[in-house]
Amino acid sequence: MSRLLGGTLERVCKAVLLLCLLHFLVAVILYFDVYAQHLAFFSRFSARGTARALHPAASSSTNCSRPNTTASSSGLPEAPSVRPGSTAPILPPCPDSPPGLVGRLLIEFTSPMPLERVQRENPGVLLGGRYTPPDCTPAQTVAVIIPFRHREHHLRYWLHYLHPILRRQRLRYGIYVINQHGEDTFNRAKLLNVGFLEALKEDATYDCFIFSDVDLVPMDDRNLYHCGDQPRHFAIAVDKFGFRLPYAGYFGGVSGLSKAQFLRINGFPNEYWGWGGEDDDIFNRISLTGMKISRPDIRIGRYRMIKHDRDKHNEPNPQRFTKIQNTILTMKQDGIGSVRYQVLEVSRQPLFTNITVDIGRPPSWPPRG
């Protein structure tokens, strides 16, 4: 009997010992699991602290309340953050009618406009004057081409008003100032041809081109700077002309063509040296190719012109009327396919890309009279 009792007690002791050992093993496993979780938590906390220390500006924001600026307070969202190692979010298409537009704008040219102020007002614009909406995918990539010489004062106002307008319109765009070198007679149309070619060299995805004089500012941001099925004339009601078209075939000031439309008309003519005529030649080219010009509603196609004295090297071309009448003969030979120029400098500024070019000299015209 005692031997049986002793055997039973031995088995009970072994069972208790096994249970204790099993309990110990479970406790060890749970301990290391909790330790690992705490270690991961503190690692993430440390990584966030390091990121904030390396990028202190990431948590700050710019707040602007002026109607002609486009920081987050004016309706534009901030760029979405992307965690390291994750893929960028797929953005929806940009709406045809952007929700943050203001409508009629107060445009004035009396306040001082230093370039530093304009740069502060547009923190989302990248070097070279490039911008992409952070919250949607635009249908087009727009190059804005400005023929230019000795108009720095006008350019500052243009950048002050146009950058916020273009950003509110949810455009992916770049600004190109094509600066004519030297003091020879100005050639607006040839500079526009140069801007088309040079913008495509920088970004082959440009498929819409807006050609704008530097002294014209839209008075309504609902006048959307994008291209359509037909060439578009934006500046249809300028204060200089009493807010109406000076004549039915006027196509000057601000116009837009898609890449395909521009190539179809062989670009702009290169031989209009001096003031006037080239916009009428472009109108003729569009008509000869069977396209029609689209225009915005006159209520939103209003522009203000910055007053200035005419450039002494931009006198009227004495042969412009003869050239206009011969567009059908010159269109194929004179245009984007025949433009000749030399790039002297490409300078990417905070708000625009400046391209200085030598476009040659005008021919010697016979004396008038």
Side-chain angles (χ1 to χ4, degrees):
M1 184 67 183
S2 60
R3 181 178 301 177
L4 180 60
L5 183 60
T8 302
L9 183 61
E10 182 179 0
R11 286 193 295 271
V12 170
C13 290
K14 288 182 179 179
V16 172
L17 182 61
L18 288 173
L19 286 175
C20 292
L21 181 61
L22 181 61
H23 176 76
F24 176 77
L25 290 175
V26 171
V28 170
I29 292 172
L30 291 176
Y31 172 80
F32 280 106
D33 183 64
V34 172
Y35 176 78
Q37 291 181 13
H38 279 277
L39 182 62
F41 171 78
F42 285 110
S43 297
R44 290 195 300 269
F45 183 80
S46 177
R48 290 177 184 176
T50 304
R52 289 175 182 173
L54 292 174
H55 305 286
S59 60
S60 62
S61 61
T62 303
N63 184 20
C64 297
S65 58
R66 290 179 54 85
N68 294 325
T69 58
T70 51
S72 57
S73 62
S74 62
L76 287 181
E78 298 293 332
S81 60
V82 179
R83 293 182 179 180
S86 62
T87 58
I90 299 176
L91 300 177
C94 293
D96 294 333
S97 299
L101 299 181
V102 177
R104 294 291 296 274
L105 302 172
L106 176 63
I107 306 296
E108 58 88 17
F109 306 119
T110 57
S111 302
M113 194 56 60
L115 204 57
E116 293 77 11
R117 169 187 169 182
V118 184
Q119 186 176 349
R120 289 195 304 269
E121 293 171 345
N122 297 279
V125 177
L126 303 180
L127 189 66
R130 302 293 300 269
Y131 178 77
T132 300
D135 61 329
C136 62
T137 302
Q140 300 177 347
T141 304
V142 181
V144 184
I145 312 297
I146 302 175
F148 185 83
R149 186 171 63 184
H150 304 327
R151 296 286 177 85
E152 288 78 9
H153 175 70
H154 296 166
L155 180 61
R156 290 194 293 271
Y157 282 111
W158 191 96
L159 295 169
H160 165 68
Y161 286 112
L162 265 296
H163 268 303
I165 290 175
L166 298 178
R167 294 175 64 197
R168 286 198 297 271
Q169 292 181 1
R170 299 294 203 276
L171 298 179
R172 180 195 295 122
Y173 68 88
I175 306 296
Y176 296 88
V177 175
I178 313 302
N179 181 37
Q180 179 175 333
H181 174 71
E183 300 298 332
D184 285 313
T185 305
F186 195 68
N187 190 325
R188 175 180 180 269
K190 191 172 185 179
L191 291 173
L192 296 178
N193 279 341
V194 172
F196 175 85
L197 293 173
E198 291 301 313
L200 283 175
K201 286 181 182 178
E202 181 175 89
D203 187 347
T205 66
Y206 282 125
D207 50 8
C208 176
F209 296 82
I210 308 296
F211 304 97
S212 174
D213 289 346
V214 74
D215 57 358
L216 287 176
V217 175
M219 301 176 66
D220 196 308
D221 62 1
R222 293 171 295 178
N223 193 0
L224 301 179
Y225 274 40
H226 59 61
C227 297
D229 296 334
Q230 303 293 333
R232 188 165 181 82
H233 185 211
F234 296 93
I236 64 169
V238 182
D239 58 353
K240 176 183 177 181
F241 304 126
F243 292 111
R244 60 174 61 91
L245 285 174
Y247 50 91
Y250 180 67
F251 195 67
V254 185
S255 58
L257 295 92
S258 69
K259 180 180 178 181
Q261 293 164 359
F262 190 83
L263 295 175
R264 186 175 176 183
I265 66 171
N266 193 24
F268 297 155
N270 298 305
E271 298 306 322
Y272 281 84
W273 297 87
W275 174 80
E278 81 286 344
D279 46 0
D280 298 303
D281 193 298
I282 298 164
F283 179 87
N284 290 344
R285 291 177 180 227
I286 292 172
S287 301
L288 289 169
T289 55
M291 295 186 289
K292 298 185 180 299
I293 294 172
S294 68
R295 293 186 172 97
D297 188 284
I298 195 166
R299 291 172 296 179
I300 65 174
R302 296 160 64 93
Y303 279 73
R304 283 205 64 186
M305 176 179 284
I306 308 174
K307 294 181 180 180
H308 58 86
D309 297 328
R310 186 174 299 281
D311 187 346
K312 66 179 181 179
H313 298 293
N314 196 23
E315 293 301 319
N317 183 332
Q319 297 181 346
R320 64 187 185 280
F321 297 114
T322 303
K323 289 180 177 294
I324 294 170
Q325 296 171 0
N326 294 322
T327 302
I328 192 172
L329 302 176
T330 61
M331 178 176 169
K332 292 185 178 180
Q333 290 77 29
D334 180 20
I336 194 68
S338 62
V339 62
R340 300 290 180 268
Y341 63 96
Q342 180 183 2
V343 175
L344 302 180
E345 181 185 14
V346 177
S347 175
R348 290 176 178 81
Q349 303 295 324
L351 299 171
F352 62 95
T353 295
N354 181 82
I355 303 177
T356 301
V357 294
D358 181 356
I359 59 172
R361 306 185 65 180
S364 299
W365 293 313
R368 284 179 288 183

